[in-house]
Amino acid sequence: MTCYKKNNFWSGCRPSCTPGIHAFDPPEHRTPWSCERIDSSHPDCAEDHTDCIHLGCCKSKTHKCFMKDPGEAFCKTSSPKGWLGHVIEAHHVKGDASYPNGHNHNIDLSKDWHGNLHSTHYWDCSGQGCDAGHLQPWDKSKYVSPPEYAPMDPEKNGGNMYGEKIWMTGATSDAVSDILGPDANGCGSDNGGGGGCGQCLLVKNYQSNNKDWTAVIMRKNRCPPWSTGCEGGKFHMDFAVPGFDNLKYSTANICGKPGTTLSRDQSSICGGVSPKDCNCAQIPTHTAGLRKMREGCELFKKWGWWSGTPTLDWRPIPCPPAFVERVKLGAAFGPKGPVTVSFFDAGNNTGALRSSVASTHGPLTQGLQHWPRTAAAVLLPMLLVLGLVRGVVDLRRRYRPPDDSDDAEDLLPAAHE
């Protein structure tokens, strides 16, 4: 059997391969095979000047894979001016969280726990690296994190699988990605030359109010080696939680721009306090996306981290299928960006601006946000009634019999003043 390439996201072992569409592929995956051979003498690397973001290597030894933006990288001799310019290098996975005990899914959760997973939290509204390559065509303005990546309560979304209290998404260092294994579950593809997208860990935090809680966290983003805490070899996980970005350290916060749902201030309401003390009520609830974010913030707060930088216990586990269904490509993020976010409505950033005002000034301002619609709903019927009354009065005056009294003559001009 030989490994043949279909496209940048799929290859398979077959006795032979003919380029083109294969009739025996499932209908939803019936796309052309390139049939390039992949082995130690034929590495799966990109041609010169072609996209290499999911490969992390170039066939030409004189070229490197330079990142242009989070969704594109190309094999060139040097990084052109204006590009991000990070060199993407392939790193090889060491495990597979989907099959922690080979292909045995009967897991004894009392075993195989590890420690020293250094953690923190963020919500910069920026798109997640596992989604970047699936934004077609690349559009920086649509590279936004959807509300569905906020923490979720398993009991409200199909039920837990391991007794976990929360489902979460996050960003991992390359050392964690190597443990997680290859991209899986249709939840995206790594844009840093490795894998781990759509793979999960089960974690515990003994430095919290609820030490017996466990949470499932799925890798949807990369914490690259040039970021603090994720330097080469460090074992680090960032947890995505609305309201928990720390603007003092955040380098990619785009909140407040169209489609981001939260304003910049709202994204960081709890970034500088102990998570257990967060006031999630500062996130408004007048849209479905904001309600998901408020609920996620409240659930994470309930876990009760004592600090924003705890060290967690962890073990790899297969992701709960019900969780996968809610965050896989097409469910939360698709080729045009977040699925449930209207960029037309967000074009004027009114959602973020209204939310920011409401969270700052309280219920009175929340009511005043909507005064144009309220005023229209009240005033239009009143004006219609007044118009009808005025019309009836005028009609009666027009056909009223003459009155010879002085009082009537005195009153008539007053009706037209």
Side-chain angles (χ1 to χ4, degrees):
M1 300 289 280
T2 302
C3 182
Y4 292 101
K5 181 177 179 178
K6 181 178 186 179
N7 52 39
N8 282 342
F9 309 103
W10 186 261
S11 61
C13 292
R14 321 167 64 92
S16 62
C17 186
T18 302
I21 293 175
H22 292 184
F24 293 106
D25 283 350
E28 66 272 21
H29 300 301
R30 207 165 286 164
T31 54
W33 284 73
S34 71
C35 289
E36 294 178 55
R37 182 179 171 183
I38 301 174
D39 56 28
S40 57
S41 60
H42 301 82
D44 184 23
C45 293
E47 300 284 354
D48 294 351
H49 308 292
T50 61
D51 196 342
C52 54
I53 198 162
H54 299 303
L55 302 173
C57 63
C58 304
K59 288 186 176 180
S60 173
K61 300 298 183 182
T62 60
H63 287 61
K64 292 182 179 179
C65 184
F66 290 100
M67 183 178 279
K68 179 180 181 181
D69 50 54
E72 298 174 303
F74 297 91
C75 288
K76 291 185 171 292
T77 54
S78 62
S79 176
K81 185 178 180 180
W83 285 26
L84 291 177
H86 305 311
V87 176
I88 298 177
E89 297 179 348
H91 51 99
H92 302 287
V93 299
K94 301 171 184 175
D96 190 342
S98 295
Y99 303 100
N101 299 315
H103 285 261
N104 179 13
H105 277 236
N106 297 319
I107 300 173
D108 183 351
L109 293 180
S110 66
K111 300 178 179 179
D112 300 324
W113 284 91
H114 310 274
N116 296 319
L117 176 62
H118 298 279
S119 305
T120 187
H121 45 65
Y122 76 105
W123 189 273
D124 56 19
C125 297
S126 185
Q128 305 301 289
C130 295
D131 297 335
H134 298 268
L135 187 59
Q136 299 294 331
W138 171 256
D139 183 345
K140 185 179 179 180
S141 68
K142 303 293 178 65
Y143 189 50
V144 173
S145 192
E148 289 76 12
Y149 290 174
M152 285 184 274
D153 185 345
E155 294 307 306
K156 295 180 180 179
N157 293 280
N160 69 66
M161 189 172 178
Y162 308 103
E164 71 274 12
K165 299 292 187 180
I166 318 179
W167 290 340
M168 306 183 71
T169 62
T172 68
S173 65
D174 288 346
V176 176
S177 299
D178 292 347
I179 297 296
L180 289 172
D183 301 327
N185 296 314
C187 291
S189 304
D190 179 64
N191 68 342
C197 292
Q199 299 271 28
C200 292
L201 294 178
L202 189 66
V203 299
K204 299 176 182 178
N205 183 6
Y206 291 110
Q207 304 163 32
S208 69
N209 290 345
N210 287 290
K211 301 176 180 61
D212 58 333
W213 277 29
T214 58
V216 171
I217 181 163
M218 176 190 287
R219 182 190 191 274
K220 289 290 288 184
N221 204 0
R222 183 191 187 204
C223 184
W226 51 86
S227 294
T228 302
C230 295
E231 297 89 348
K234 290 191 176 180
F235 216 71
H236 185 91
M237 172 76 80
D238 287 341
F239 289 69
V241 190
F244 280 84
D245 208 41
N246 193 324
L247 298 180
K248 188 184 296 184
Y249 304 106
S250 183
T251 59
N253 191 297
I254 62 166
C255 297
K257 293 185 177 181
T260 57
T261 309
L262 289 181
S263 70
R264 184 175 170 86
D265 287 341
Q266 290 161 4
S267 74
S268 60
I269 54 174
C270 301
V273 302
S274 297
K276 64 183 179 63
D277 299 323
C278 176
N279 179 12
C280 298
Q282 295 178 77
I283 297 177
T285 58
H286 59 267
T287 69
L290 285 168
R291 286 191 289 274
K292 289 177 182 177
M293 292 186 172
R294 166 86 77 87
E295 289 172 4
C297 179
E298 295 283 7
L299 184 59
F300 181 68
K301 173 188 175 180
K302 192 175 178 181
W303 192 359
W305 285 18
W306 295 342
S307 76
T309 56
T311 301
L312 310 184
D313 284 2
W314 62 275
R315 59 152 300 145
I317 42 103
C319 296
F323 181 24
V324 171
E325 286 300 311
R326 283 155 179 78
V327 296
K328 67 182 182 181
L329 291 173
F333 192 95
K336 302 300 179 184
V339 172
T340 59
V341 171
S342 171
F343 283 84
F344 176 79
D345 292 339
N348 295 323
N349 212 21
T350 53
L353 290 174
R354 281 201 301 265
S355 301
S356 179
V357 172
S359 67
T360 304
H361 298 291
L364 176 61
T365 309
Q366 290 185 34
L368 291 175
Q369 298 172 21
H370 308 291
W371 76 265
R373 283 178 290 175
T374 305
V378 174
L379 292 177
L380 285 176
M382 290 177 61
L383 291 172
L384 181 61
V385 171
L386 288 173
L388 288 172
V389 171
R390 179 69 179 269
V392 170
V393 171
D394 287 346
L395 196 62
R396 291 185 64 184
R397 285 190 180 128
R398 185 177 303 172
Y399 294 103
R400 186 172 57 186
D403 191 336
D404 294 334
S405 69
D406 292 339
D407 290 341
E409 291 177 358
D410 291 338
L411 288 173
L412 188 60
H416 298 281
E417 288 180 354

